[in-house]
Amino acid sequence: MTKVMRNYAQKTIKLLFGRSGNQCAHPDCTNPIIVPETDQSEAAVVGQICHIYAAADDGPRGKKNLTEEERNAVENLILLCGHHHPVVDKQYQTYPADTLKAWKKAHEAKFQQDTAGAEKRQAAIQRSAFLQRLSDREIEQETLRLRQGRYLVGFLTK
């Protein structure tokens, strides 16, 4: 297999990451592309840029006659987690370019404004936030009830 230098334009990288929703594009995966910082470590990019048509003619899903610019264009790239990138490249017969294109299109649609996927995702986020607030309120009420119960005769108050 031919070793190819990968050289992505800054705009390409920004578009690719911006459209990813910080999530692997495999339809059954929710692994993050960037993990947050911790007390001991900085944030880390753990996702990987995967070519839909290979970076080289003889690579996984190779396609002859593509220019370097076409090979490294945002349309030919998909972000996958560290598990799914090697899987789709090592089992490229199972994951042809058309499959990866469909994944990319569906995945990015979830995060583009004014698409059904984005609206569905936004509704789910709002439901989750509402349930969180409701749950917090119920916890606060139960805590208050328990604190008030501490003042019954025979119970310590502190």
Side-chain angles (χ1 to χ4, degrees):
M1 197 179 311
T2 307
K3 182 72 174 164
V4 177
M5 282 298 290
R6 289 167 175 81
N7 187 19
Y8 309 113
Q10 283 294 318
K11 182 178 180 180
T12 298
I13 292 171
K14 288 177 182 180
L15 287 170
L16 190 61
F17 276 76
R19 294 174 181 174
S20 77
N22 194 36
Q23 190 175 28
C24 175
H26 187 287
D28 299 327
C29 185
T30 58
N31 286 337
I33 297 301
I34 301 170
V35 293
E37 65 184 41
T38 67
D39 291 340
Q40 296 82 27
S41 303
E42 295 180 357
V45 178
V46 295
Q48 299 175 0
I49 298 173
C50 177
H51 284 81
I52 294 172
Y53 291 110
D57 289 346
D58 59 349
R61 294 172 308 280
K63 183 176 182 182
K64 295 191 184 306
N65 302 322
L66 287 180
T67 66
E68 182 180 348
E69 185 177 318
E70 291 169 324
R71 290 180 196 281
N72 294 318
V74 71
E75 296 80 16
N76 190 47
L77 301 172
I78 186 170
L79 280 175
L80 298 172
C81 67
H83 171 74
H84 285 111
H85 183 191
V87 170
V88 300
D89 277 359
K90 291 182 187 307
Q91 297 182 331
Y92 60 91
Q93 300 91 339
T94 303
Y95 302 100
D98 288 341
T99 297
L100 297 186
K101 286 180 190 179
W103 287 1
K104 179 181 175 76
K105 183 177 180 180
H107 182 73
E108 290 180 355
K110 291 189 293 187
F111 305 103
Q112 289 178 339
Q113 290 184 348
D114 301 325
T115 64
E119 289 174 12
K120 185 177 178 182
R121 186 170 177 79
Q122 186 61 33
I125 290 169
Q126 289 175 352
R127 272 192 310 277
S128 176
F130 170 76
L131 292 173
Q132 182 66 45
R133 285 191 306 273
L134 179 64
S135 177
D136 288 348
R137 242 189 335 265
E138 289 174 353
I139 290 169
E140 287 171 9
Q141 289 172 348
E142 186 63 17
T143 302
L144 180 61
R145 189 185 70 75
L146 290 170
R147 283 186 179 140
Q148 289 172 341
R150 288 180 18 186
Y151 297 105
L152 294 175
V153 176
F155 289 92
L156 297 175
T157 58
K158 288 190 180 193

